[in-house]
């Protein structure tokens, strides 16, 4: 069982990474393989809405989005980490997520998702909600923790001192491992939920 952790911060070993590492460490203690992928320092353009991915099965821009797509397909869960920028997720991460979630051809149903955010002071819950929406439109159960998954800091050292934040990360890791194991057993016993043919209406007659 594997969880992919996405560092959406431009900083390789900053606050977001510190929070993600605590989740990864706890997941590993629970027997879950982990990989942290740094995307926030890449030059990632936004989605151009060409919809080419619907025919070629990947994004027309062959960059880190397509590299991560295959890792995402193999993973049982994904943790998306972002610093808070103006009470929102980092712009590069949003470009990455729009293109990743729109372009992948595989079924994401029952892959477990979790959002992790880091702020100096404010905007955590808005950013947390923003990231969770990628999961809730994709049939992906969300792992929750003892608080909304956020840490506070301007430096990794600050984050390490945020005891409640770090505990929230560890609880998240344990809850996520449990949920992934339950879903794996459930899939074996009951299979994935039945799917209807998708209806997509555009609010026009
Ligand atoms: C452009 C920019 C905008 C920011 N906006 C906010 C904000 O709205 N609220 C906040 O508390 N911190 C804000 N910050 C601070 C970062 O969110 C915070 O320091 C975060 O922990 C950095 O994570 P990192 O080390 O992983 O990059 C901002 C930082 C930058 C560079």
């Amino acid at each position: 069982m594997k969880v992919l952790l996405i560092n959406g911060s431009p900083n390789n070993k900053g606050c977001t990474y510190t929070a993600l590492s605590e989740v990864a460490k706890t997941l590993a203690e629970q027997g879950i393989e982990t990989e942290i992928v740094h995307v926030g320092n890449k030059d990632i353009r936004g989605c151009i809405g060409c919809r080419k991915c619907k025919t070629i099965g990947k994004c027309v821009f062959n960059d880190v989005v397509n590299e991560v797509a295959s890792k995402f397909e193999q993973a049982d869960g994904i943790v998306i980490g972002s610093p808070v920028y103006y009470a929102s997720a980092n712009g590069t991460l949003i470009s990455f997520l729009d293109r990743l979630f729109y372009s992948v051809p595989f079924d994401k149903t029952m892959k477990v998702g979790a959002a992790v955010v880091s702020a100096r002071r404010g905007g955590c819950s808005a950013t947390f909600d923003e990231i969770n929406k990628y999961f809730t439109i994709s049939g992906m159960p969300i792992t929750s923790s003892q608080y909304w998954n956020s840490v506070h800091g301007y430096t990794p050292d600050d984050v390490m001192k945020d005891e409640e934040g770090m505990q929230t990360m560890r609880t998240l890791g344990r809850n996520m491992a449990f949920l992934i194991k339950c879903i794996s057993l459930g899939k074996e016993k009951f299979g994935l939920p039945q799917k209807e043919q998708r209806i997509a209406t555009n609010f026009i007659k």
Side-chain angles (χ1 to χ4, degrees):
M1 288 171 206
K2 185 165 179 180
V3 169
L4 186 63
L5 300 99
I6 304 293
N7 180 6
S9 168
N11 297 307
N12 186 22
K13 298 268 162 88
C15 302
T16 308
Y17 174 84
T18 307
L20 289 175
S21 298
E22 194 73 356
V23 181
K25 191 184 82 185
T26 315
L27 283 165
E29 284 165 5
Q30 303 298 316
I32 308 282
E33 200 188 322
T34 63
E35 181 180 356
I36 301 180
V37 180
H38 190 200
V39 305
N41 63 340
K42 305 283 189 310
D43 187 7
I44 303 174
R45 63 151 309 126
C47 177
I48 58 166
C50 67
R51 300 192 174 89
K52 261 262 166 136
C53 52
K54 301 301 160 210
T55 49
I56 65 173
K58 60 181 183 179
C59 184
V60 72
F61 300 114
N62 206 15
D63 61 8
V64 68
V65 171
N66 290 341
E67 285 165 32
V68 171
S70 51
K71 292 177 191 284
F72 186 20
E73 185 171 18
Q74 302 304 316
D76 303 284
I78 189 164
V79 183
I80 314 276
S82 182
V84 173
Y85 280 10
Y86 292 95
S88 173
N90 166 280
T92 304
L93 178 70
I94 290 299
S95 291
F96 171 83
L97 292 176
D98 284 352
R99 287 177 47 218
L100 180 74
F101 275 74
Y102 201 72
S103 67
V104 293
F106 54 82
D107 187 7
K108 304 176 211 73
T109 304
M110 296 301 143
K111 286 184 186 292
V112 176
V116 162
V117 299
S118 176
R120 191 185 67 80
R121 198 160 180 87
C124 285
S125 54
T127 309
F128 180 68
D129 292 347
E130 186 182 18
I131 297 173
N132 279 327
K133 294 208 172 72
Y134 289 88
F135 309 134
T136 49
I137 199 171
S138 307
M140 295 174 63
I142 290 178
T143 314
S144 56
S145 184
Q146 65 194 55
Y147 197 88
W148 302 308
N149 310 328
S150 54
V151 294
H152 286 274
Y154 193 64
T155 66
D157 221 38
D158 296 335
V159 173
M160 300 293 272
K161 287 183 198 141
D162 177 6
E163 285 184 30
E164 185 173 350
M166 291 300 264
Q167 186 176 63
T168 302
M169 297 302 124
R170 292 192 295 277
T171 304
L172 176 64
R174 280 188 291 272
N175 288 356
M176 192 172 203
F178 180 79
L179 195 52
I180 285 172
K181 289 172 188 171
C182 289
I183 287 172
S184 170
L185 287 175
K187 273 202 267 190
E188 258 175 48
K189 196 160 164 58
F190 307 113
L192 283 172
Q194 198 188 330
K195 283 216 159 171
E196 287 187 27
Q197 185 72 35
R198 174 114 196 259
I199 297 171
T201 50
N202 302 327
F203 296 102
I204 48 170
K205 274 196 164 189

